[in-house]
Coordinates of all heavy atoms in Angstrom, one line a residue:
G1 N 0.8 -1.2 0.0 CA 0.0 0.0 0.0 C 0.8 1.3 0.0 O 0.3 2.4 -0.1
R2 N 2.2 1.1 0.1 CA 3.0 2.3 0.1 C 3.5 2.5 -1.4 O 4.1 1.6 -1.9 CB 4.2 2.2 1.0 CG 5.1 3.4 0.9 CD 6.1 3.5 2.0 NE 6.9 4.8 1.9 CZ 6.5 5.9 2.4 NH1 5.4 6.0 3.1 NH2 7.2 7.0 2.2
P3 N 3.4 3.7 -2.0 CA 3.9 3.9 -3.3 C 5.4 3.8 -3.3 O 6.1 4.6 -2.6 CB 3.4 5.3 -3.7 CG 2.3 5.6 -2.7 CD 2.6 4.9 -1.5
M4 N 6.0 2.9 -4.1 CA 7.4 2.8 -4.2 C 7.8 2.6 -5.7 O 7.4 1.6 -6.3 CB 7.9 1.6 -3.4 CG 7.9 1.8 -1.9 SD 8.6 0.5 -0.9 CE 7.0 -0.5 -0.6
V5 N 8.6 3.5 -6.2 CA 9.1 3.4 -7.5 C 10.0 2.1 -7.6 O 10.7 1.8 -6.6 CB 10.0 4.6 -7.9 CG1 10.8 4.3 -9.2 CG2 9.1 5.8 -8.1
Y6 N 9.8 1.3 -8.6 CA 10.5 0.0 -8.7 C 11.5 0.0 -9.9 O 11.1 0.1 -11.1 CB 9.5 -1.1 -9.0 CG 9.9 -2.5 -8.9 CD1 11.1 -2.9 -8.1 CD2 9.2 -3.5 -9.5 CE1 11.5 -4.2 -8.0 CE2 9.6 -4.8 -9.4 CZ 10.7 -5.2 -8.7 OH 11.1 -6.5 -8.6
S7 N 12.8 0.0 -9.5 CA 13.9 0.0 -10.5 C 14.5 -1.3 -10.6 O 14.9 -1.9 -9.6 CB 14.9 1.1 -10.0 OG 16.1 0.9 -10.8
C8 N 14.5 -1.9 -11.8 CA 14.9 -3.3 -12.0 C 16.2 -3.4 -12.8 O 16.4 -2.6 -13.8 CB 13.8 -4.0 -12.8 SG 12.2 -4.0 -12.0
S9 N 17.0 -4.4 -12.5 CA 18.1 -4.8 -13.3 C 17.8 -6.1 -14.1 O 18.8 -6.7 -14.6 CB 19.3 -5.0 -12.4 OG 19.7 -3.8 -11.8
W10 N 16.6 -6.4 -14.2 CA 16.1 -7.7 -14.8 C 16.7 -7.8 -16.2 O 17.4 -8.9 -16.5 CB 14.6 -7.6 -14.8 CG 13.8 -8.6 -15.4 CD1 14.2 -9.7 -16.1 CD2 12.4 -8.6 -15.4 NE1 13.1 -10.4 -16.6 CE2 11.9 -9.8 -16.2 CE3 11.4 -7.8 -14.9 CZ2 10.6 -10.1 -16.4 CZ3 10.1 -8.1 -15.1 CH2 9.7 -9.2 -15.8
P11 N 16.5 -6.9 -17.2 CA 16.9 -7.2 -18.6 C 18.5 -7.3 -18.7 O 18.9 -8.2 -19.5 CB 16.4 -6.1 -19.4 CG 16.1 -5.0 -18.4 CD 15.8 -5.7 -17.1
V12 N 19.2 -6.5 -18.0 CA 20.7 -6.6 -18.2 C 21.3 -7.9 -17.9 O 22.2 -8.4 -18.6 CB 21.4 -5.4 -17.5 CG1 21.3 -5.5 -16.0 CG2 22.8 -5.3 -17.9
Y13 N 20.8 -8.5 -16.8 CA 21.4 -9.8 -16.4 C 20.9 -10.9 -17.4 O 21.7 -11.9 -17.7 CB 21.0 -10.2 -15.0 CG 21.8 -9.4 -14.0 CD1 21.3 -8.2 -13.4 CD2 23.0 -9.8 -13.6 CE1 22.0 -7.5 -12.5 CE2 23.8 -9.1 -12.7 CZ 23.3 -7.9 -12.2 OH 24.0 -7.2 -11.3
Q14 N 19.7 -10.8 -18.0 CA 19.3 -11.7 -19.0 C 20.1 -11.5 -20.3 O 20.5 -12.5 -21.0 CB 17.8 -11.6 -19.2 CG 17.0 -12.1 -18.0 CD 15.5 -12.3 -18.3 OE1 15.0 -11.6 -19.2 NE2 14.9 -13.2 -17.7
I15 N 20.4 -10.3 -20.6 CA 21.2 -10.0 -21.8 C 22.6 -10.6 -21.6 O 23.2 -11.3 -22.6 CB 21.3 -8.5 -22.1 CG1 19.9 -8.0 -22.6 CG2 22.3 -8.2 -23.1 CD1 19.8 -6.5 -22.6
Y16 N 23.2 -10.5 -20.5 CA 24.5 -11.1 -20.2 C 24.4 -12.6 -20.4 O 25.4 -13.3 -20.8 CB 24.9 -10.9 -18.7 CG 25.3 -9.5 -18.4 CD1 25.3 -9.0 -17.1 CD2 25.8 -8.6 -19.4 CE1 25.7 -7.7 -16.8 CE2 26.2 -7.3 -19.1 CZ 26.2 -6.9 -17.8 OH 26.6 -5.6 -17.4
A17 N 23.3 -13.2 -20.0 CA 23.1 -14.7 -20.1 C 22.6 -15.1 -21.5 O 22.2 -16.3 -21.7 CB 22.1 -15.2 -19.1
R18 N 22.5 -14.2 -22.5 CA 22.0 -14.4 -23.8 C 20.5 -14.9 -23.8 O 20.1 -15.8 -24.6 CB 22.9 -15.4 -24.5 CG 24.3 -15.0 -24.7 CD 25.2 -15.9 -25.5 NE 26.6 -15.5 -25.6 CZ 27.1 -14.5 -26.4 NH1 26.2 -14.0 -27.3 NH2 28.3 -14.2 -26.4
I19 N 19.8 -14.3 -22.9 CA 18.3 -14.5 -22.9 C 17.7 -13.3 -23.4 O 18.0 -12.2 -23.0 CB 17.8 -14.8 -21.4 CG1 18.6 -16.0 -20.8 CG2 16.3 -15.0 -21.4 CD1 18.3 -16.1 -19.3
E20 N 16.7 -13.4 -24.3 CA 16.0 -12.2 -24.9 C 15.0 -11.7 -23.8 O 14.1 -12.4 -23.5 CB 15.3 -12.6 -26.1 CG 14.7 -11.4 -26.8 CD 14.1 -11.7 -28.2 OE1 14.3 -12.8 -28.7 OE2 13.4 -10.8 -28.7
P21 N 15.2 -10.5 -23.4 CA 14.3 -10.0 -22.4 C 12.9 -9.8 -22.9 O 12.7 -9.5 -24.1 CB 14.9 -8.6 -22.0 CG 16.3 -8.7 -22.4 CD 16.3 -9.6 -23.6
N22 N 11.9 -10.1 -22.1 CA 10.5 -9.9 -22.4 C 10.1 -8.5 -22.0 O 9.7 -8.3 -20.8 CB 9.7 -11.0 -21.7 CG 8.2 -10.8 -22.0 OD1 7.7 -9.8 -22.6 ND2 7.4 -11.8 -21.6
Y23 N 10.3 -7.5 -22.9 CA 10.1 -6.1 -22.5 C 8.6 -5.8 -22.2 O 8.3 -4.9 -21.4 CB 10.7 -5.2 -23.5 CG 12.2 -5.0 -23.4 CD1 13.0 -5.6 -24.3 CD2 12.7 -4.3 -22.3 CE1 14.4 -5.5 -24.2 CE2 14.1 -4.2 -22.2 CZ 14.9 -4.8 -23.1 OH 16.3 -4.7 -23.0
A24 N 7.7 -6.6 -22.8 CA 6.3 -6.4 -22.4 C 6.1 -6.7 -21.0 O 5.4 -5.9 -20.3 CB 5.4 -7.3 -23.3
A25 N 6.6 -7.8 -20.5 CA 6.5 -8.1 -19.1 C 7.3 -7.1 -18.2 O 6.8 -6.7 -17.1 CB 7.0 -9.5 -18.8
I26 N 8.4 -6.7 -18.6 CA 9.2 -5.7 -17.8 C 8.5 -4.4 -17.7 O 8.4 -3.8 -16.6 CB 10.6 -5.5 -18.5 CG1 11.4 -6.8 -18.4 CG2 11.4 -4.4 -17.9 CD1 12.6 -6.9 -19.3
A27 N 7.9 -3.9 -18.8 CA 7.1 -2.7 -18.7 C 5.9 -2.8 -17.9 O 5.4 -1.8 -17.3 CB 6.8 -2.2 -20.1
Q28 N 5.4 -4.0 -17.7 CA 4.2 -4.2 -16.8 C 4.6 -4.3 -15.3 O 3.7 -4.1 -14.5 CB 3.5 -5.5 -17.2 CG 2.7 -5.4 -18.5 CD 2.0 -6.7 -18.8 OE1 2.6 -7.7 -18.8 NE2 0.7 -6.6 -19.1
T29 N 5.9 -4.5 -15.1 CA 6.4 -4.7 -13.7 C 7.2 -3.6 -13.1 O 7.0 -3.3 -11.9 CB 7.2 -6.0 -13.7 OG1 6.5 -7.1 -14.2 CG2 7.8 -6.3 -12.4
C30 N 8.0 -2.9 -13.9 CA 9.0 -2.0 -13.4 C 8.8 -0.6 -13.9 O 8.3 -0.4 -15.0 CB 10.4 -2.4 -13.9 SG 10.8 -4.2 -13.5
N31 N 9.1 0.4 -13.1 CA 9.1 1.8 -13.5 C 10.3 2.2 -14.3 O 10.2 3.1 -15.1 CB 9.0 2.7 -12.3 CG 7.7 2.6 -11.5 OD1 7.6 2.1 -10.4 ND2 6.6 2.9 -12.2
L32 N 11.4 1.5 -14.1 CA 12.6 1.7 -14.9 C 13.5 0.5 -14.8 O 13.3 -0.3 -13.9 CB 13.4 3.0 -14.4 CG 13.9 3.0 -13.0 CD1 15.2 3.9 -13.0 CD2 12.9 3.6 -12.1
W33 N 14.3 0.3 -15.9 CA 15.1 -0.9 -15.9 C 16.4 -0.6 -16.7 O 16.5 0.2 -17.6 CB 14.3 -2.0 -16.6 CG 13.8 -1.6 -18.0 CD1 14.4 -1.6 -19.2 CD2 12.5 -1.1 -18.2 NE1 13.6 -1.1 -20.2 CE2 12.4 -0.8 -19.6 CE3 11.4 -0.8 -17.4 CZ2 11.2 -0.3 -20.2 CZ3 10.2 -0.3 -18.0 CH2 10.2 0.0 -19.4
R34 N 17.4 -1.4 -16.2 CA 18.8 -1.3 -16.8 C 18.9 -2.3 -17.9 O 18.5 -3.5 -17.8 CB 19.8 -1.6 -15.7 CG 20.0 -0.5 -14.7 CD 20.8 0.7 -15.2 NE 22.0 0.2 -15.7 CZ 23.1 -0.3 -15.0 NH1 23.0 -0.2 -13.7 NH2 24.2 -0.7 -15.6
N35 N 19.6 -1.9 -19.0 CA 19.8 -2.8 -20.2 C 21.3 -3.0 -20.5 O 21.5 -3.9 -21.3 CB 19.2 -2.1 -21.4 CG 17.7 -1.8 -21.3 OD1 16.9 -2.7 -21.3 ND2 17.4 -0.5 -21.1
Y36 N 22.2 -2.3 -19.8 CA 23.6 -2.4 -20.3 C 24.5 -2.2 -19.1 O 24.0 -2.1 -17.9 CB 23.8 -1.2 -21.3 CG 25.1 -1.2 -22.0 CD1 25.4 -2.3 -22.9 CD2 26.0 -0.2 -21.9 CE1 26.6 -2.3 -23.5 CE2 27.2 -0.2 -22.6 CZ 27.5 -1.3 -23.4 OH 28.7 -1.3 -24.0
H37 N 25.8 -2.2 -19.3 CA 26.8 -2.3 -18.3 C 26.7 -1.1 -17.3 O 26.2 0.0 -17.7 CB 28.2 -2.2 -18.9 CG 28.5 -3.3 -19.9 ND1 28.2 -4.6 -19.7 CD2 29.1 -3.2 -21.1 CE1 28.6 -5.3 -20.7 NE2 29.1 -4.5 -21.6
D38 N 27.2 -1.3 -16.1 CA 27.3 -0.1 -15.2 C 28.2 1.0 -15.8 O 29.2 0.7 -16.4 CB 28.0 -0.6 -13.9 CG 27.1 -1.4 -13.0 OD1 25.9 -1.6 -13.4 OD2 27.5 -1.9 -11.9
I39 N 27.8 2.2 -15.6 CA 28.6 3.3 -16.0 C 29.8 3.4 -15.1 O 29.8 3.1 -13.9 CB 27.8 4.6 -16.0 CG1 28.5 5.7 -16.8 CG2 27.5 5.1 -14.6 CD1 27.6 6.9 -17.1
Q40 N 31.0 3.8 -15.8 CA 32.2 4.0 -15.1 C 32.6 5.5 -15.3 O 32.0 6.2 -16.1 CB 33.3 3.1 -15.6 CG 33.0 1.6 -15.6 CD 32.8 1.1 -14.3 OE1 33.5 1.4 -13.3 NE2 31.8 0.2 -14.1
D41 N 33.6 5.9 -14.5 CA 33.9 7.4 -14.6 C 34.9 7.7 -15.7 O 36.0 8.0 -15.5 CB 34.5 7.8 -13.2 CG 34.6 9.3 -13.1 OD1 34.0 10.0 -13.9 OD2 35.3 9.8 -12.1
S42 N 34.3 7.5 -16.9 CA 35.2 7.8 -18.1 C 34.3 8.1 -19.3 O 33.1 7.7 -19.4 CB 36.0 6.5 -18.5 OG 35.2 5.5 -19.0
W43 N 34.9 8.9 -20.2 CA 34.2 9.2 -21.5 C 34.0 7.9 -22.3 O 32.9 7.8 -23.0 CB 35.0 10.2 -22.3 CG 34.4 10.6 -23.6 CD1 35.1 10.5 -24.8 CD2 33.1 11.1 -23.9 NE1 34.2 10.9 -25.8 CE2 33.0 11.3 -25.3 CE3 32.0 11.3 -23.1 CZ2 31.9 11.7 -25.9 CZ3 30.8 11.8 -23.8 CH2 30.8 12.0 -25.1
A44 N 34.9 7.0 -22.3 CA 34.8 5.7 -23.0 C 33.5 5.0 -22.5 O 32.8 4.4 -23.4 CB 36.0 4.9 -22.8

């Protein structure tokens, strides 16, 4: 009953495992989601 934004790392770990993420399900579940590597402190 408490409103909580839900941030998921669901797709990025599946991409690492060569699993195709189900973005329809992800969009029904999460308010935001990570798709790629963690950012590092560099322009690269």
